Each structure stands twice: as C-alpha cells, then as structure tokens.
Amino acid sequence: MAELQIPELLYGADYNPEQWDEQTFEEDLKLMQEAGVNMVSLGIFSWAKLEPEEGRYDFDWLVGYMDRLHETGIMVDLATGTASPPVWLARNYPETLPMNAQGQVLGFGSRQQYVPASLIFREKCAGLVRALAERVKDHPALKLWHVSNEYGCHIFESFDPVTIQAFQTWLAKRYQNIEALNHTWNTNFWSQHYQDFSQVGAPDSLPTFHNPAHRLDWRRFSSDMLIECLENEVQALREVTPEIPITTNFMGLFPPIDYWKMAQHLDLISDDTYPDPTDRNSALRVAMDGDLMRSLGGGKPYLLMEQTTAGVQWRPEGNAVKRPGTHLLWSTSRLASGARGILYFQWRQSPGGAEAMHSAMVPHSGKASYIWDEVCEHGRLLKDLSALGSENQEQLDLTTLPVEAKVAIVLDWEALWAAASSIGPADIDVQKQLRNWYKTCYEAGQRVDFVRPGDDLSRYQVVIVVAQMATSQGLEASLTSATEAGAQVIITAPFGVYDQDLRVHLGGYHGPFSRFTGVKVTDVLPKTTAPCEDLADNDPRTDRITSVIYTPGYNEPILIRAHGPLSEILPDFDLAEESQIKGGVWAERVQLENESVKVLAEFAPNGAVGQLAGSPALTVNPCGKGQVWYSATDLDNLGRALLLELVGQEAGLLQPDWLPAGLEIAERGGYVFYLNHGELTQTLPEPVMDLVSGETVDTIEPRQTVIVRN
C-alpha cells in the first residue's frame, strides 16, 4: 500500500479547466494562490476528451494543465476519467448500457451509463487507465489517483443479459451446486426450485413478493460487481505507479456497496458529503460521516473530497444554501473527526450543463460573493494549522493525528441488505436506527468508531449492535471477546431473527445468541396502521358490534415503564420518575434464559402493544467481565439516552461534564474543537487562545468555531 506523504493539510476542489479559456485559467492560478489551495482533482469527467475516439488517446492538454499547476505549487489528485463513458462506447458497444428492472435500456446523455458487470466496459477502462498512468507516471504534480467517481451513485445494479449471466456465474461460485442454493433460498416454497444455475434470473419485475434470499444475494452480487470495477483500475495503476496512493470517493453510509470490502483496495479513504442546510440533523450527519470514513480506513486520517460552499442544484425538496459560517463549521467538524484535508466540488462554478447551479469556491459572481471571503478564511485556517503541525510533528500534525473513541457501533452492510430484503413482519429501517443510536452518542459528547462484525472489539468500553435481523459470521466471537475484556454490549431489536442467509432461527429468535443475550424471543408484535374505515361510520346506534372494537393504531406509541437503576437516573434528565419511555415499530415478548438476567424495564399495559404488559422490555445479562443489555423494542430518544447513561456508568465511560446546548466539543490529539451549531453565543469555561482568530476569547458566536491546543 502506498502512503500519501504530504506534510500539510490539503485544501482545494474538483477542477475542470477544460471548460474555460486561457485567460480564465490564468486567473484561476492566481485565485488559488490567494485562497490557499494546494490540491485540485483533475479529469473526473474527462474520458471523452482523454480518448475522443476508441483507441486514440489525447493526454497533451491534461499534462499541460498539470505542468502549470505544478509550477504554481498546486498538487494534483488525478482522476481516471471512467465515471462518465464517452458517446463512442455507447454507440460501438450498446451492450454496455445499463437496463432498469422494467427492461428499459438507459441511454447516453447523462453520466454513469455503464453496466458494472460488462467485461467490455472494464476492458476499455483498463486501457484508458493504463495509458494515462504510463504518460503521467513521472509527473511531479501527481500525488494521488482518484478512481472513477461515486461508484453506484446512479447505477448500482443492472438487469441486462450480460449482468444476468454474470449473476449466474457468481451464484455457481458461491454455492458450488444448485441444491445448496435451493436449500439456502428455501425454493420449495412457491415452487421456485431450480435445476441449474442458468435458470436463475434477477429479482426484477415480478408478479408479487421476491424471494428474500434471492434478493439478498443479488445485493451482494451487485456490490461485488462495482468493487470489481474498482479492482480493475487499481490493478493497472499499481502496476504502473506503485508509489502513488489510490482513492475513490465514498458517499457516507451508502447502502448499495459494502464499503468495508471496497476500502481494502484503497490507500486513502475519501468521501463526499452534501447534508441539507435546512435539516437540523445535518450537523450530526457531518460528524457521523467523518467517524465512518475514519473507521473505514482503520483509524487513519481520511480526505473530505467533496462538499459545497453554499447550495446544490439537485435536491428535489429545495436547494437551500448554507448560512454564513456553516461550511467552515462543518469543515472543522470533519477535521475533528479525522480529516487530513478539505476539498470541494467544485473550484469554479460551471458556465453550463447539469451542475451549472451547483455552488463552488469561485461563484458565478466571482470575488464579489461573500462565499469568496469564507473560502479564503478557510484556506488561512488550514495553512495555520499545518504550520503548527510542522512545529511539533508528534503532537499537532493533523495529517497523522488519530482520534480516540471508546464507543463502537457495529456496521454490517450485509445486515442492511438482509433487513431490506426480508418481507415483514414490520418495515425495519436499520439505516435510520443506526443514525438514531449514533445521534444518542453524539448528543452525549461521545466519539464513535464503526466496526465490522468480526473485528477485535476488546479495546472499547461500550459496543452497540443495532437491529441486526440477520447475524453475520464472526459477530458472536467478536462480541464475546469484547465482554470477556469487560465491555458493555447494547443489542437492540430486532436481532438474530435470521442467519446470514435469511434462514430463520427456529425455536425462538436469537438462536445461538440466546446464551449471550440471556433471552429468547418467542413472539413479535409489530405496531400496525389502523385500517381505513370506509364501509361504515361506526355509529353505536346501528353498529352494535363493530363500533366498540378496539384496534391499536400506528399513532399509538409503545409504552415502557422503567424501574430499578434505569428509573433512578430519570431525574438526571429533569423528568418525573413516572415518565414513560416509548418504543417504535417493533416489540417482542422475550423469555429469560437464566436466573442472572435482570429486567430493567417492562412494557406498559396501555399503548400499541398492551398485551405485552409486564413482559421485559429491557434486560441485562452478565457475560465475562462485562454485560449484555438487550432492548426488545427500538427505543425513543429518551430511552436511548437513559440506557446509554446507565451503561456508560457501568463501563466507566467518562461523560463530559460541560455540554451547553448547541455546542459540539471534540478532541483530536493535541487539539480541542468547540463548534457552536446553535443560535446563541456560548460562554467558554475559561479564556482560551483561539487558533482560528489568533485571539484570546471567552465566548463563541453562533455557527463559529474555536480551536485550542489541549
């Protein structure tokens, strides 16, 4: 693996000089120096210009730009250009165009119009990449390779004949014989039994429900095809330029691709982030994406490849712009979570095309916009922080400083696919529940690492497993080693309903995990929507029977009564002891498996699942030196906060004792970051020397940042 050995924080953007004339390019070089830009991404959508005709390459224009950027002191993150195939590929090889589930071929004129499984597409990509690498391999501006762009953003599956055949080959390799597939997929149901792999199609347009295991394997296969596209280009780059590190830009918690598997092929993790400025949860999403990217890289610093200075042009519900200060605030949050550089899409706002109204570092109005002042302020801050790092490499270098987290959340892409592929008994949005639990940690001032099911978790004080309906191999051993080392493990429903291939654990859910959780699930009660009453008015004068029948509806909450140590910390939240915790869309009747299991909360007799009255809703089971906490429903904000505080006390997890409303406080090595996301000025505990302003301050204004040396 190659390392990005640049002793300064990176700052810049995607740059498309081919859109502009010579005069504008010269102006851009001067503006980049003024803003403090030291890296740009080139050629991301340039395949048609790099290879205008099949087999005829033209790299001179690109090398000319690289020469002049290098002379100006600007490094290049060079893209392979394969994210947007040229028109000649679509015309010469129409079989490379993707097909949707309805059998419609998606044509040329946008981007990502390719079939990930197409060997022809991969061959043409490899040819371009190899030729480009040979041409620029010794260029001094080249510091990083940028493979394709946002894999799966528009096309993460295709239902064309080439892909179906590739799926059949993938299945044959996975199962070896067709009867193994029939067993795993339970094809005896609905007469789906296959005689040969060549009979298996895609779970596309079907008369009714798909086979869940079929759909799960399709998701696995589709992810693998995109990862193979990445591998195809990475192989060529490593052969020609083994010393140049390689990245591709991720997109936060993106369900279609297993980023754990994709990350194994990269030297540097990078990502794109476009939270909605009108969403009050955007601040925590910025932090969550940062923690995820750091985790995908094994704790090493990552690169924020794309964000926007103001607004985007593609958000269907409205393209709100960031308020003054917000983009610097969010950028600094990413530094706190482990970023070693901040880049944007894009440098200069485009003069036309689909993204002409997407904001940039240089807006259409140029330096007259307030955005330019913020861009320059951001550049100065990164330059100052880089200077501090060079003074004391060990303590203050943000290009290498790690981030320490004591809380881990298990993130399993296959579990996400399994939940999305399963049919009933309730619609479980695992991605939402993951964000909810992250939010609880974030609001409590806790930094989070995301971990895989088989990772060594023994160094964490708290481990959270969220709604893993299907449990992957390695999870049990990983959690057991964590509790043996003293970790507190929180597991939330639904858990252990299926094995990794969506075959149900018979005899009670949790299956082999019951000895670990201390409970077995005997019944499931999903909260349901009351049916429409369009046949009668339910008038008691005429509807003697139907008017008095009670049907718990969707708006009726699942109510939970805490007692014991959980109820004792209710006053910490300024709530009366009789206050009730609420659940979401799923509740379970659990059976205690041993006498050591303690019940911390029970379902209340009223509410959507009143028939569970008195049944355990929250339990704790001793395991090794630690404990396993199980929630038989998806808890609301209060329930999660109460449980995390109680578990944190048991774990010896240090809780910040000063958390004003709206203020995010994060530590990274020798720095403390104060980020005021609120609308009120906050007073700091004591005057500090602010590295942003260079002044001693004792307050922090709304949407402003204070960074201090620890």
Side-chain angles (χ1 to χ4, degrees):
M1 304 293 278
E3 293 288 338
L4 184 65
Q5 297 179 341
I6 300 174
E8 56 187 302
L9 294 171
L10 300 176
Y11 186 52
D14 286 15
Y15 185 38
N16 300 283
E18 64 270 28
Q19 294 187 40
W20 305 97
D21 58 22
E22 176 65 20
Q23 181 180 353
T24 305
F25 178 63
E26 288 292 339
E27 180 186 0
D28 281 342
L29 294 178
K30 296 176 182 177
L31 290 176
M32 287 179 187
Q33 289 179 301
E34 183 177 342
V37 167
N38 58 13
M39 175 172 275
V40 295
S41 300
L42 286 182
I44 290 177
F45 302 114
S46 298
W47 190 345
K49 194 168 177 62
L50 294 168
E51 189 178 5
E53 297 175 2
E54 183 177 1
R56 180 173 71 84
Y57 301 115
D58 179 8
F59 303 137
D60 290 345
W61 64 272
L62 179 66
V63 173
Y65 287 131
M66 293 177 67
D67 289 343
R68 294 164 72 181
L69 286 163
H70 176 66
E71 292 169 1
T72 312
I74 297 172
M75 299 171 284
V76 171
D77 163 38
L78 186 57
T80 58
T82 54
S84 208
V87 66
W88 61 256
L89 185 69
R91 299 296 179 260
N92 296 351
Y93 305 98
E95 63 271 33
T96 64
L97 293 173
M99 180 182 292
N100 64 20
Q102 291 72 44
Q104 178 185 12
V105 176
L106 306 180
F108 179 84
S110 180
R111 68 176 187 176
Q112 284 195 3
Q113 69 282 349
Y114 61 80
V115 172
S118 169
L119 297 183
I120 294 175
F121 169 69
R122 296 184 194 178
E123 175 190 338
K124 301 307 175 185
C125 287
L128 170 65
V129 170
R130 187 175 297 276
L132 178 61
E134 289 286 357
R135 176 62 186 277
V136 302
K137 62 182 179 181
D138 296 320
H139 201 288
L142 177 61
K143 301 299 180 184
L144 181 65
W145 279 113
H146 184 126
V147 176
S148 190
N149 184 74
E150 296 183 337
Y151 275 112
C153 179
H154 310 296
I155 297 297
F156 60 86
E157 60 184 355
S158 179
F159 298 87
D160 62 281
V162 169
T163 301
I164 303 302
Q165 186 174 14
F167 182 47
Q168 294 164 352
T169 301
W170 184 92
L171 290 171
K173 183 178 180 180
R174 180 178 180 86
Y175 290 102
Q176 300 297 309
N177 66 80
I178 194 65
E179 287 309 318
L181 178 147
N182 283 316
H183 171 75
T184 301
W185 290 12
N186 197 38
T187 57
N188 285 330
F189 187 75
W190 279 3
S191 190
Q192 293 174 351
H193 192 275
Y194 297 101
Q195 302 298 324
D196 188 83
F197 288 107
S198 63
Q199 296 176 335
V200 183
D204 44 19
S205 296
L206 303 173
T208 185
F209 300 123
H210 56 261
N211 182 311
H214 185 179
R215 181 62 182 168
L216 174 58
D217 272 339
W218 177 260
R219 297 294 294 269
R220 289 167 170 157
F221 159 78
S222 297
S223 174
D224 282 354
M225 292 303 98
L226 288 166
I227 293 173
E228 286 183 12
C229 286
L230 172 74
E231 290 180 273
N232 176 57
E233 298 189 33
V234 166
Q235 180 179 353
L237 294 174
R238 295 216 190 278
E239 290 174 2
V240 181
T241 57
E243 73 287 354
I244 302 297
I246 299 172
T247 192
T248 191
N249 40 345
F250 292 165
M251 294 171 286
L253 181 53
F254 182 64
I257 307 176
D258 186 340
Y259 277 166
W260 291 119
K261 293 176 68 174
M262 184 171 266
Q264 295 173 5
H265 303 284
L266 302 172
D267 302 306
L268 176 68
I269 301 301
S270 63
D271 80 311
D272 302 346
T273 182
Y274 292 100
D276 188 344
T278 65
D279 183 356
R280 68 176 57 191
N281 288 313
S282 285
L284 78 91
R285 292 196 176 198
V286 169
M288 180 176 175
D289 287 353
D291 283 349
L292 175 56
M293 294 306 123
R294 183 190 68 251
S295 301
L296 289 168
K300 295 192 297 185
Y302 66 92
L303 179 62
L304 176 56
M305 185 66 73
E306 288 186 25
Q307 64 170 341
T308 183
T309 54
V312 298
Q313 92 297 346
W314 46 260
R315 193 169 277 122
E317 64 272 20
N319 293 303
V321 300
K322 295 176 180 177
R323 300 172 69 189
T326 300
H327 92 261
L328 181 57
L329 180 72
W330 289 355
S331 297
T332 311
S333 177
R334 297 304 292 262
L335 287 177
S337 68
R340 57 107 60 238
I342 307 293
L343 279 68
Y344 290 86
F345 183 86
Q346 57 182 324
W347 165 251
R348 181 179 284 275
Q349 198 166 2
S350 293
E355 295 189 287
M357 300 311 297
H358 191 296
S359 64
M361 295 177 79
V362 181
H364 285 148
S365 59
K367 296 175 67 172
S369 169
Y370 75 91
I371 291 173
W372 178 251
D373 294 332
E374 291 197 345
V375 162
C376 292
E377 180 187 2
H378 195 180
R380 284 192 296 271
L381 172 62
L382 295 181
K383 186 176 181 179
D384 290 345
L385 292 175
S386 292
L388 282 174
S390 64
E391 292 173 7
N392 191 324
Q393 196 75 12
E394 183 178 347
Q395 294 184 3
L396 297 171
D397 185 4
L398 285 171
T399 67
T400 58
L401 274 179
V403 174
E404 184 177 7
K406 294 299 183 183
V407 178
I409 295 178
V410 176
L411 174 57
D412 182 0
W413 259 268
E414 295 214 5
L416 292 175
W417 300 335
S421 300
S422 65
I423 301 170
D427 185 12
I428 304 298
D429 188 341
V430 181
Q431 193 172 355
K432 179 180 179 181
Q433 292 195 36
L434 280 166
R435 292 191 188 279
N436 284 343
W437 269 102
Y438 181 87
K439 179 179 180 180
T440 296
C441 298
Y442 173 78
E443 300 284 8
Q446 296 295 338
R447 196 94 246 171
V448 170
D449 279 348
F450 289 92
V451 293
R452 291 169 293 187
D455 283 350
D456 179 6
L457 307 179
S458 57
R459 70 183 182 89
Y460 296 102
Q461 292 171 267
V462 176
V463 178
I464 305 173
V465 183
V466 182
Q468 288 215 359
M469 292 183 71
T471 51
S472 297
Q473 289 182 345
L475 179 61
E476 183 178 9
S478 186
L479 295 178
T480 299
S481 66
T483 53
E484 286 177 351
Q488 304 293 317
V489 175
I490 299 173
I491 298 178
T492 76
F495 174 77
V497 178
Y498 305 101
D499 68 10
Q500 64 179 5
D501 293 312
L502 285 177
R503 288 189 65 87
V504 174
H505 287 303
L506 302 178
Y509 303 148
H510 289 202
F513 283 89
S514 288
R515 65 175 183 81
F516 184 72
T517 60
V519 300
K520 180 184 294 183
V521 178
T522 61
D523 301 283
V524 172
L525 284 80
K527 190 170 69 169
T528 59
T529 303
C532 297
E533 298 175 349
D534 56 356
L535 299 180
D537 295 328
N538 281 335
D539 187 335
R541 295 172 298 177
T542 58
D543 304 321
R544 179 180 58 85
I545 297 175
T546 56
S547 64
V548 296
I549 294 177
Y550 168 68
T551 55
Y554 184 81
N555 292 325
E556 202 167 351
I558 295 172
L559 299 179
I560 303 162
R561 287 181 173 171
H563 55 76
L566 195 64
S567 64
E568 292 171 4
I569 61 174
L570 278 169
D572 294 346
F573 290 80
D574 295 325
L575 294 166
E577 290 191 16
E578 63 269 16
S579 295
Q580 291 180 316
I581 306 167
K582 297 181 178 64
V585 298
W586 176 289
E588 300 171 333
R589 189 190 307 275
V590 301
Q591 174 181 301
L592 305 186
E593 290 293 281
N594 59 67
E595 295 180 354
S596 62
V597 180
K598 296 179 181 178
V599 177
L600 301 172
E602 299 170 345
F603 289 107
N606 52 337
V609 292
Q611 61 266 53
L612 289 181
S615 177
L618 287 170
T619 60
V620 58
N621 182 41
C623 190
K625 296 179 182 178
Q627 299 177 100
V628 180
W629 309 70
Y630 186 70
S631 171
T633 184
D634 51 318
L635 295 169
D636 66 357
N637 287 346
L638 173 61
R640 293 193 307 273
L642 286 169
L643 182 57
L644 181 64
E645 178 163 319
L646 179 59
V647 170
Q649 291 174 2
E650 292 286 322
L653 192 66
L654 293 177
Q655 300 282 349
D657 55 4
W658 182 73
L659 288 174
L663 200 64
E664 177 184 355
I665 306 170
E667 293 189 28
R668 181 181 176 188
Y671 296 95
V672 178
F673 297 78
Y674 298 96
L675 303 108
N676 188 357
H677 298 279
E679 296 300 313
L680 298 176
T681 299
Q682 295 290 350
T683 301
L684 299 174
E686 60 183 3
V688 295
M689 173 56 71
D690 176 23
L691 299 178
V692 179
S693 64
E695 300 175 354
T696 299
V697 300
D698 57 7
T699 61
I700 178 170
E701 299 298 317
R703 300 186 305 285
Q704 296 297 309
T705 299
V706 169
I707 306 175
V708 303
R709 296 174 69 161
N710 194 356

